[in-house]
Amino acid sequence: MRTAAWGGRRRVAVYRPAVPAAGPLPLLVVFDGYLSRALLRVPATLDNLIAAGRIPPTLALFVSAPSGARRMAELRPSAALRAFVTRELLPWARRRWAVTDDPARRVIAGSSLGGLAAAYVALAAPGAFGAVIAQSGSFWWPASGQPGEREWLTRAYAGWPAAPVRFYLDVGDRENTWPRPGQVDQLSVNRRFRDLLVARGHQVTYAEYRGGHDYVNWRRTFAEGLLAVLGGS
């Protein structure tokens, strides 16, 4: 699809459920689209949960960056990220498929920097999404690249109006030494973000899995995220 917010075109892969649905479909937006399909195997997880009746038939959009450098630029919290998702991607999907207009049935998801991006969009654009799946979210991310300004989103959100967003967060119990001992305590960062969300009144499902910052672990737990935010819908 074409994007003015990011410039040029971005590849968006679409998952459409095989099971027919009565009425508009819930919508799932996933960052790092290629890796989410190839390594996390999200389409297979959706197939299995939908076939088992554990979540409703859901349409999913997998957004991919053209390069690693563009990923780092595009998934950091910014007005361009918010505009791409809310002003371009969501209208683009609504024009093509019968997807819901109800934010409570729209989910945005990502891992690592994608998890930070997902949480930022849902909190900074109230009414766009009602649920977030953030796996090992990079909530340590600074505002301007300065180590002393880490955890920008946690500090910024403390001053924003609370939005009715529910969260599934998970993180590895060995991520307090990732990527190098003493550099980023990802485990504590995620715990602090969880505590802020709970204090602000959000519905939060939180889990710590045994392992580190890795797609193998996120693949194992993504189904739990879907069940937490879409199960019983």
Side-chain angles (χ1 to χ4, degrees), residues 4-227:
W6 283 342
R9 300 180 68 89
R10 292 298 177 273
R11 179 170 295 179
V12 179
V14 181
Y15 166 91
R16 286 178 286 182
V19 177
L25 292 166
L27 179 65
L28 170 67
V29 173
V30 188
F31 291 120
D32 292 315
Y34 173 76
L35 295 174
S36 296
R37 290 181 290 122
L39 298 183
L40 295 191
R41 301 176 185 169
V42 173
T45 300
L46 287 166
D47 281 342
N48 292 335
L49 292 179
I50 292 169
R54 311 244 355 236
I55 64 172
T58 299
L59 187 131
L61 305 177
F62 296 89
V63 180
S64 296
S67 68
R70 291 303 304 168
R71 174 186 182 268
M72 295 295 289
E74 292 173 356
L75 293 187
R76 65 182 63 191
S78 68
L81 168 62
R82 186 172 66 245
F84 169 77
V85 175
T86 61
R87 298 180 188 175
E88 297 178 342
L89 184 66
L90 291 181
W92 179 82
R94 286 196 299 267
R95 289 194 299 268
R96 286 162 175 77
W97 299 283
V99 294
T100 183
D101 286 326
D102 181 5
R105 300 172 68 226
R106 293 200 296 244
V107 182
I108 188 165
S111 55
S112 193
L113 185 56
L116 172 74
Y120 166 74
V121 171
L123 295 173
F129 293 91
V132 171
I133 298 173
Q135 299 182 282
S136 300
S138 296
F139 300 120
W140 56 270
W141 197 265
S144 58
Q146 300 300 318
E149 298 181 6
R150 282 179 173 166
E151 300 183 60
W152 172 83
L153 183 60
T154 303
R155 292 184 288 106
Y157 183 51
W160 293 352
V165 181
R166 58 197 185 279
F167 285 80
Y168 171 85
L169 308 175
D170 66 25
V171 64
D173 64 359
R174 299 178 187 176
E175 292 197 62
N176 55 343
T177 58
W178 178 88
R180 293 194 301 272
Q183 183 174 358
V184 174
D185 183 349
Q186 187 90 319
L187 182 59
S188 296
V189 165
N190 273 262
R191 287 173 175 173
R192 284 192 288 271
F193 188 64
R194 170 205 62 192
D195 292 345
L196 174 65
L197 293 174
V198 171
R200 296 297 300 272
H202 289 277
Q203 176 185 323
V204 180
T205 301
Y206 177 83
E208 294 178 6
Y209 57 79
R210 177 159 298 184
H213 197 82
D214 193 272
Y215 278 96
V216 171
N217 297 309
W218 303 328
R219 183 173 66 205
R220 290 190 292 112
T221 60
F222 195 85
E224 300 302 322
L226 289 172
L227 290 170

